[in-house]
Amino acid sequence: MSKEELTLEIIEHLKQEYPDADCTLDYNEAWKLLVSVRLAAQCTDARVNVVVQDLYAKYPTVAALAQADVADIEAIVKPCGLGRSKARDIHACMNVLLTQYDGKVPDDFDALLSLPGVGRKSANLIMGDVFGKPAIVTDTHCIRLVNRMGLVDQIKDPKKVEMALWKLVPPEEGSAFCHRLVYHGREICTARTTPHCDRCVLQDICAKQI
């Protein structure tokens, strides 16, 4: 089986197992997803979803966050870790949205990458989840799983994994596929415990490079 064929098989298996997989960060506006994905670095989505409730209660708009004191933002987001740098990036990002994009999140990948604190993973997440455009989100689950499954060969660099997956994953499947990898990585193909291969829907086709 070629890597292209294996990829399509894995996509179909995961579709059946996780039909409703979606982003696990809570948001109802595009700018809030930008904030949350920055806070999620080295932090769980569950904790971010709790912390942002206080953040948005005090600063409910892009303008409010842009005009806030960075120290006040830091005090709220500190439980997510790396509070100072995250607060600084969020404040700077909201200022750019306010001054350059009329408070709106741009739907252009390169424009997203130019925002403070936004890397390829975050930009892809926004493109896929907010704008419904092709996206490959190479988070830690994605990188771990596609290596184990044999879709990439011992590649750990996020951008290189992303580029490899663009060649294998149909564009319309990329965003949902990456969300399903997150679900599968949390429940079955775990990082800190022995993977539960006996309960895995991919056990017959996975390369099991653990």
Side-chain angles (χ1 to χ4, degrees), residues 7-210:
T7 302
L8 294 178
E9 285 284 322
I10 290 172
I11 287 172
E12 287 306 311
H13 280 63
L14 292 179
K15 268 187 183 181
Q16 294 178 28
E17 187 71 5
Y18 310 102
D20 302 318
D22 204 350
C23 181
T24 52
L25 290 167
D26 296 336
Y27 70 97
N28 56 11
E29 295 181 73
W31 67 271
K32 291 182 178 179
L33 183 55
L34 264 181
V35 170
S36 288
V37 75
R38 180 65 188 95
L39 292 177
Q42 299 182 41
C43 181
T44 65
D45 289 0
R47 175 169 291 182
V48 171
N49 289 338
V50 172
V51 169
V52 293
Q53 293 179 35
D54 290 337
L55 185 67
Y56 302 147
K58 189 170 184 179
Y59 306 110
T61 64
V62 170
L65 261 181
Q67 294 159 9
D69 188 292
V70 176
D72 291 337
I73 298 174
E74 181 185 350
I76 296 173
V77 305
K78 189 175 181 179
C80 294
L82 305 173
R84 183 171 299 177
S85 62
K86 289 179 179 180
R88 185 175 60 243
D89 284 344
I90 289 168
H91 183 261
C93 183
M94 295 302 108
N95 269 283
V96 173
L97 292 186
L98 192 63
T99 58
Q100 296 185 25
Y101 298 102
D102 195 29
K104 304 291 193 301
V105 176
D107 63 353
D108 176 80
F109 187 80
D110 290 330
L112 287 169
L113 277 184
S114 72
L115 296 174
V118 177
R120 297 189 68 87
K121 182 183 78 171
S122 302
N124 269 298
L125 185 65
I126 296 292
M127 292 296 284
D129 279 51
V130 174
F131 300 114
K133 297 187 177 183
I136 298 288
V137 182
T138 50
D139 65 1
T140 56
H141 292 292
C142 174
I143 294 169
R144 182 177 75 256
L145 268 62
V146 297
N147 273 280
R148 287 177 173 178
M149 295 169 179
L151 300 186
V152 301
D153 302 308
Q154 299 302 311
I155 303 175
K156 300 300 172 66
D157 178 81
K159 184 177 180 180
K160 291 180 179 178
V161 171
E162 180 193 333
M163 294 301 109
L165 291 178
W166 278 118
K167 299 176 182 178
L168 298 172
V169 179
E172 68 276 11
E173 299 285 0
S175 182
F177 173 60
C178 292
H179 285 319
R180 292 185 175 108
L181 290 177
V182 171
Y183 279 62
H184 197 62
R186 288 175 178 168
E187 296 179 17
I188 303 296
C189 200
T190 51
R192 297 183 180 179
T193 62
T194 302
H196 306 289
C197 295
D198 58 316
R199 295 193 280 116
C200 181
V201 296
L202 306 173
Q203 59 180 301
D204 294 333
I205 56 175
C206 178
K208 296 183 177 65
Q209 297 178 147
I210 301 169

